[in-house]
Amino acid sequence: MERIDSAAAYLREKLGTRTPVIGIVLGSGLGKLADQIENQLVIPYKDIPDFPVSTAIGHKGNFIVGSLGGKCVLAMQGRIHYYEGYGMELVVLPVRVMIRLGIRSLFVSNAAGGTNLDYHVGDLMIIKDHINLLPNPLIGPNLDGLGPRFPDMTRPYDPSIIKLALRLAAEMGIEVHQGVYVGGTGPSYETPAEYKYFRLIGADAVGMSTVPEVIAARHAGIPVFGMSVITNEAHDDYADDYVNDGHDVVVAADAAADKMTALFIRIIESL
Ligand code: HPA
């Protein structure tokens, strides 16, 4: 709690009179949404006392505050992953800091592999639910100042924001899937048998992030909206020369980032 509060105090001083109402987590290759933030102030994670730094490819490692869709937002350009070797309490620290700063909703995004055979590279998926295969970030003494010991997870992703997003996507002519995201540890990509397993247990997309942050936000009662960009397709039979590659994932995410950015902005405008 001290670590959360000291990072929040540092940021509060930097923010001055700016009071972000929406927190945004930008996933692999999706950092360019930050370019659309007006009157922005960049606060590098490395300048924040005792703060973890993102080492993943396609993750820059900055907080960016400014105006998006007419609202004051605080965006994380790059997140912290469990596979980087950080403990779960550090993976969720940035989100908890944003919560301490008073955000009233959290938007999360990620690059993900499509386990649903109808999903293709460049597709967008609104996350309607998740399956957690990472350690739960709430394990350990409960931080009573943030939320209850046994938080409800009946509606992990806010149904009213999903409804709004579906209406706006249709108006904008942007096709979106609605699906279940399974979060694993990575960093190895899945074997064909694992992709099949995830499909069988009800997942439409798989990634290495997001779920911890969503659990931390829901612990604190913050409504969440989540979106995956499908960067690779999970088949059971690959071509002899097919490989999953982290750089290809970032390139595919970057190519679809404009669509996701446009939709995020419209949703934020309409909230
Ligand atoms: N698996 C796990 N994480 C990912 C993938 C994947 O196929 N694609 C992008 N992130």
Side-chain angles (χ1 to χ4, degrees):
M1 205 66 207
E2 270 167 33
R3 202 165 180 175
I4 298 166
D5 283 340
S6 87
Y10 175 88
L11 277 164
R12 210 173 276 123
E13 205 202 308
K14 292 276 170 203
L15 296 184
T17 56
R18 304 165 192 249
T19 46
V21 290
I22 296 173
I24 306 175
V25 185
L26 298 170
S28 306
L30 299 169
K32 74 181 178 190
L33 179 144
D35 300 343
Q36 304 291 320
I37 299 177
E38 293 161 20
N39 298 319
Q40 58 172 256
L41 172 72
V42 178
I43 305 160
Y45 299 158
K46 64 175 170 42
D47 292 353
I48 306 172
D50 227 9
F51 205 77
V53 172
S54 174
T55 63
I57 54 168
H59 287 256
K60 282 195 177 158
N62 298 312
F63 272 117
I64 298 181
V65 64
S67 172
L68 189 73
K71 303 218 165 56
C72 184
V73 303
L74 180 59
M76 287 172 58
Q77 200 179 30
R79 57 153 58 88
I80 314 299
H81 302 81
Y82 186 61
Y83 66 71
E84 293 175 77
Y86 292 111
M88 289 309 275
E89 72 285 1
L90 290 181
V91 172
V92 298
L93 177 82
V95 163
R96 286 177 157 168
V97 169
M98 296 200 286
I99 292 167
R100 286 309 254 189
L101 292 172
I103 58 161
R104 293 202 289 270
S105 54
L106 179 72
F107 281 51
V108 290
S109 63
N110 58 57
T115 50
N116 185 320
L117 296 174
D118 294 331
Y119 289 12
H120 302 292
V121 172
D123 284 2
L124 299 181
M125 180 186 94
I126 291 175
I127 308 175
K128 66 175 185 199
D129 201 347
H130 69 224
I131 297 170
N132 184 26
L133 296 181
L134 283 144
N136 194 299
L138 305 181
I139 290 172
N142 185 50
L143 298 180
D144 295 329
L146 291 180
R149 170 76 293 186
F150 300 110
D152 175 55
M153 282 289 153
T154 315
R155 279 167 287 277
Y157 300 86
D158 191 78
S160 64
I161 309 180
I162 292 178
K163 209 166 141 194
L164 174 67
L166 288 170
R167 178 168 66 74
L168 294 173
E171 274 174 30
M172 296 166 80
I174 296 177
E175 267 184 52
V176 286
H177 302 291
Q178 280 188 81
V180 175
Y181 175 91
V182 58
T185 66
S188 48
Y189 287 114
E190 289 68 28
T191 65
E194 286 165 343
Y195 281 126
K196 185 171 182 186
Y197 164 67
F198 288 152
R199 188 178 311 126
L200 285 171
I201 64 172
D204 298 287
V206 54
M208 309 173 190
S209 68
T210 305
V211 174
E213 296 145 0
V214 173
I215 292 174
R218 296 304 301 136
H219 177 231
I222 301 292
V224 175
F225 177 73
M227 180 155 272
S228 294
V229 173
I230 304 302
T231 55
N232 51 292
E233 294 162 23
H235 300 286
D236 300 348
D237 301 301
Y238 287 102
D240 288 344
D241 59 351
Y242 181 83
V243 285
N244 267 327
D245 176 85
H247 290 281
D248 294 348
V249 162
V250 172
V251 169
D254 183 66
D258 289 340
K259 250 188 329 184
M260 191 199 81
T261 297
L263 185 55
F264 266 35
I265 294 174
R266 278 291 289 279
I267 299 168
I268 289 170
E269 249 169 25
S270 310
L271 274 182

